[in-house]
Amino acid sequence: MPTSAAASSLGLPALHPSLEADLSAGLGAVEELLRADVTSDYPLVTEAARHLVDAGGKRFRPLLTLLAAQFGDAERDEVRQAAVVVELTHLASLYHDDVMDEATLRRGAPSTNVRFGNSVSILVGDFLFARAAARVADLGPEAVRIQARTFERLVVGQIRETEGPRGGDPLEHYLAVLADKTGSLIATSGRLGALQAGAGEGVAEVLTRYGELVGVAFQLADDLLDVESDSAVSGKAVGTDLREGVETLPVLCFRRIADAADPEDGRLLALLDGDLADDAALAEAVQRLRAHRALGDAHAEVRRWADRARAELAPLAECPAKEALDALCAAVVERAS
């Protein structure tokens, strides 16, 4: 049986028929609400705000919100409102990230900062944060607090990334940044879904922990795709992180074990420490990194985070939603394979 578009894009297998129907209906409603929320009285705001919505995306966060709601009353309107909140927050952060990273491609399309300029991109990100805040206010004070704390972690994670490890272990620093920048919002997706469905604090805590762990695993898998995949799969140019000097999981694993005295390692170190604006140099760096044994360590790190996420699911009652969450852990690992 076919899965919903979002579930399929995450590599999930066929879902239980009733769960598939619930997710399809929920994601359809979320999409309609999203398009309403990115509409402004000012045409340029609407055009720029719809840019990433129209480009698509996995809708990972709304999907997790809807799955978490399956442990309570998934039909509540508040559940879909919460799913819109987390996706709006995610989209807003992408507009800001693309400016800071000077990105040129997002979801297979020109990034907003390229198309509309940095100033408009930043302001549209603020516009989407405002729309998310307006919608979360309807969910009550606790939801507002959760959203505010999540926003704080997103900002702190970005600042920590900008500052760098400052003499600490670069890989551990990077994982902490991901927990803030990526894991925190995915954790909130699970928490809001459970709470708005009335699933209870115990279930919400489980899904919060699960969300953060699987969120980090998901981003680590993206890091591998930047090196091992192509733009048609990853939605951005191959080696974008390398070209921009952003050291993600594959490079950090390589640097941990690199031997500067070894000619092969030495050459890759020289490439990574040099200017990768040149297409030939970038292609060589990607090829050498793909072939290096450090990629095995990087894959193991993805599996470690996914396994930790799966272990968190143990207290939950057996049901199709739990099976889907478990399958998501396997899909994240497969995505990076």
Side-chain angles (χ1 to χ4, degrees):
M1 178 179 183
T3 61
S4 66
S8 178
S9 73
L10 294 173
L12 289 177
L15 304 175
H16 187 280
S18 63
L19 178 59
E20 167 64 22
D22 285 351
L23 291 179
S24 293
L27 288 169
V30 167
E31 206 66 26
E32 289 184 11
L33 292 170
L34 269 177
R35 292 187 176 280
D37 277 358
V38 299
T39 301
S40 166
D41 293 336
Y42 193 68
L44 177 58
V45 174
T46 299
E47 183 184 2
R50 289 188 60 174
H51 182 64
L52 286 185
V53 173
D54 290 344
K58 301 174 187 65
R59 303 292 188 253
F60 184 11
R61 292 150 191 83
L63 180 64
L64 184 56
T65 302
L66 298 174
L67 280 170
Q70 292 290 320
F71 296 92
D73 181 1
E75 295 301 313
R76 289 185 179 179
D77 179 63
E78 291 86 351
V79 170
R80 295 173 182 183
Q81 302 285 343
V84 175
V85 167
V86 295
E87 186 65 6
L88 282 171
T89 303
H90 173 57
L91 290 171
S93 72
L94 296 183
Y95 281 81
H96 288 179
D97 282 353
D98 283 348
V99 172
M100 296 193 69
D101 297 341
E102 298 181 349
T104 59
L105 194 65
R106 170 73 70 176
R107 294 179 175 175
S111 58
T112 313
N113 51 304
V114 167
R115 181 171 172 184
F116 299 99
N118 285 345
S119 295
V120 169
S121 191
I122 291 170
L123 292 169
V124 169
D126 293 344
F127 169 79
L128 295 177
F129 276 127
R131 286 295 171 93
R135 195 169 284 279
V136 79
D138 293 334
L139 300 179
E142 179 59 19
V144 172
R145 277 190 288 271
I146 292 169
Q147 173 75 353
R149 290 167 185 155
T150 305
F151 189 30
E152 177 185 341
R153 287 191 65 187
L154 292 173
V155 173
V156 169
Q158 184 63 63
I159 292 172
R160 291 177 66 173
E161 180 180 57
T162 302
E163 182 183 39
R166 294 178 64 87
D169 180 87
L171 180 56
E172 291 305 315
H173 172 266
Y174 179 67
L175 293 172
V177 167
L178 291 193
D180 281 340
K181 282 192 61 179
T182 300
S184 64
L185 184 55
I186 296 175
T188 291
S189 301
R191 185 171 192 83
L192 286 178
L195 291 178
Q196 296 305 317
E201 182 62 30
V203 171
E205 284 291 336
V206 167
L207 291 167
T208 300
R209 293 192 298 271
Y210 167 86
E212 180 146 339
L213 292 166
V214 82
V216 173
F218 191 82
Q219 182 57 55
L220 293 176
D222 260 6
D223 291 350
L224 282 165
L225 285 175
D226 182 64
V227 172
E228 295 185 312
S229 186
D230 57 44
S231 58
V233 176
S234 65
K236 62 181 182 180
V238 180
T240 295
D241 294 332
L242 294 178
R243 171 161 274 163
E244 295 172 353
V246 178
E247 300 205 337
T248 62
L249 180 65
V251 172
L252 293 171
C253 286
F254 165 71
R255 288 194 183 277
R256 268 193 165 185
I257 62 174
D259 179 2
D262 177 87
E264 296 296 319
D265 284 6
R267 174 57 181 166
L268 182 50
L269 284 168
L271 286 166
L272 295 174
D273 292 336
D275 183 4
L276 291 177
D278 177 73
D279 288 345
L282 178 65
E284 183 183 351
V286 169
Q287 185 274 328
R288 287 179 176 276
L289 193 54
R290 283 176 175 175
H292 199 277
R293 66 190 186 281
L295 266 290
D297 295 341
H299 282 279
E301 191 69 22
V302 175
R303 288 193 297 273
R304 184 173 75 87
W305 283 86
D307 287 345
R308 288 174 62 194
R310 179 182 285 111
E312 290 291 344
L313 297 173
L316 298 179
E318 297 299 326
C319 64
K322 182 178 179 180
E323 293 173 6
L325 292 170
D326 184 271
L328 180 57
C329 296
V332 167
V333 174
E334 179 64 26
R335 187 164 174 264
S337 297

